[in-house]
Amino acid sequence: MAHPPRTSSDLTFEDFLQRVCDHNRNAKHNRRVGVKFDFKDERCIVPCLELLQHYAGTSESVGFPVWINADVWMGPGGKKPAITPSEFFLACFDIYPAGTLSPGWTCWLKFEGPSDAASRLLDPVILEGYEMEQIEDALRTLPRGVGHVTFPVHCTMARLGGKAILKLLEADPRFTLTLWGEALPQDWWWIENTPQLKGRVFTDCAKPGIISYGLTLAPLVFQRATRYMSLTALGGAAGLRSTQSKDIDNGDGDTKFAGPECEGA
C-alpha cells in the first residue's frame, strides 16, 4: 500500500486490513474506526475487494464502514483516469456491495507561461472549478439506484464550480460530498453559508500551507526561494557592478558609469 508518487511499501493490503479488524475487535465502541481505500490502479481493485469479502465471511460486511474510492472521471486540469467507471462500479457491486462508493474526478494544477518544467515552477498557479459537463458526465455513467455515494471534490475547485456541485447534490438526496485539499477562508465561508450543503458535507481539509493541492511543502518553499534568490542575485550583481564601475576614470577626467545594461560593451 502506498500513495503516489510512491508505488510500493512494506505494508500489504491484507496486513492493513487485519490490523484494522484487530483494532476494532478490541476497541471500545467510540474508538472503532472505518477506512477509505483509494485505488490508483485498476488491477488492484478486484483482488483487494475479494479480500474484503473474505474477511466479511458469511456477513455482508467486515463490521465497520468501508469507503471505496477511485478517480474515474476527468475533472479540472486532470488527466485521463487510469480506472474506468464501468469496471470500478461492476467490481464494487459484484464483490463488496456493502462498501460506500466514493468515485471522484482527476484534477490538478494548471500553469501559465512556457511549458518547460523550470518555467512552470515560477509561474502563477491557476485553479479551475468543476464544470457542468463534468458533473453531467458523472451522472450519466453512475449506476441507477446506487444509494449513498460520497463524492470527493477539491474544496476550492468545488467552490469555484459551485453551480455544478449543487446540481450533483440535487440529483439524489443520498449524495454527499467529501471535501479535500487546503481550505481557504472563502472555502469555509462557502461551506457554512450555502444552505444546500447543510448536513451533506464531510471535510478532510488541511490548513493553507501544509500541503498545496497534492504537492508537499518543500516544492512550494523551493519555488518561492528560487524566485527570491534569483531576484536578489540579479539585484546584488547589478549593485556590485555599479559600485565597481561608477568611479572608474577613463583617463580624460570624466567618470564612466557602467550599469548592467553596459556590461560586455
Side-chain angles (χ1 to χ4, degrees):
M1 295 181 67
H3 195 284
R6 295 183 179 180
T7 56
S8 64
S9 75
D10 58 357
L11 179 63
T12 68
F13 182 89
E14 186 171 10
D15 287 341
F16 176 80
L17 185 58
Q18 182 63 60
R19 294 183 190 185
V20 174
C21 289
D22 291 343
H23 168 83
N24 285 339
R25 188 180 302 112
N26 301 315
K28 294 181 179 179
H29 181 73
N30 62 349
R31 294 292 183 179
R32 294 174 185 172
V33 298
V35 295
K36 184 190 83 168
F37 294 117
D38 185 359
F39 290 102
K40 301 296 185 183
D41 190 323
E42 198 166 69
R43 296 170 297 178
C44 301
I45 297 175
V46 169
C48 289
L49 293 183
E50 287 178 343
L51 275 171
L52 273 169
Q53 184 186 56
H54 172 72
Y55 273 72
T58 56
S59 303
E60 292 185 356
S61 74
V62 289
F64 51 84
V66 174
W67 287 9
I68 308 174
N69 168 250
D71 290 337
V72 298
W73 302 298
M74 189 181 300
K79 297 180 180 180
K80 182 180 179 180
I83 299 173
T84 58
S86 58
E87 293 298 324
F88 176 70
F89 295 133
L90 182 63
C92 292
F93 286 142
D94 283 353
I95 304 173
Y96 194 76
T100 297
L101 291 179
S102 184
W105 294 260
T106 60
C107 59
W108 199 241
L109 301 173
K110 285 195 173 183
F111 300 84
E112 287 183 331
S115 60
D116 63 282
S119 296
R120 293 179 82 174
L121 283 174
L122 301 179
D123 282 334
V125 172
I126 299 176
L127 289 180
E128 293 183 351
Y130 292 91
E131 299 177 359
M132 195 66 72
E133 182 180 353
Q134 295 164 349
I135 299 303
E136 291 172 348
D137 178 54
L139 292 174
R140 279 195 302 269
T141 56
L142 197 66
R144 293 185 179 181
V146 68
H148 175 220
V149 178
T150 184
F151 296 93
V153 290
H154 187 280
C155 53
T156 300
M157 293 180 181
R159 173 176 57 82
L160 294 175
K163 289 184 178 180
I165 292 299
L166 294 183
K167 178 180 177 63
L168 176 66
L169 292 179
E170 289 171 1
D172 194 308
R174 295 168 294 181
F175 290 173
T176 61
L177 305 176
T178 299
L179 300 178
W180 61 273
E182 290 184 353
L184 303 173
Q186 51 268 46
D187 298 330
W188 289 116
W189 189 94
W190 175 71
I191 295 168
E192 295 168 359
N193 292 275
T194 303
Q196 297 92 322
L197 300 182
K198 299 296 183 183
R200 303 184 70 180
V201 171
F202 299 96
T203 57
D204 183 20
C205 300
K207 295 181 179 180
I210 304 301
I211 55 175
S212 182
Y213 313 114
L215 299 177
T216 62
L217 183 60
L220 295 179
V221 174
F222 172 77
Q223 292 175 29
R224 288 169 172 76
T226 301
R227 182 181 300 184
Y228 175 78
M229 288 188 294
S230 298
L231 295 175
T232 303
L234 290 173
L240 179 60
R241 286 193 293 270
S242 298
T243 302
Q244 290 176 335
S245 58
K246 66 181 180 180
D247 293 324
I248 297 176
D249 191 336
N250 62 9
D252 58 7
D254 295 326
T255 299
K256 177 183 178 182
F257 175 80
E261 68 278 7
C262 301
E263 184 180 9

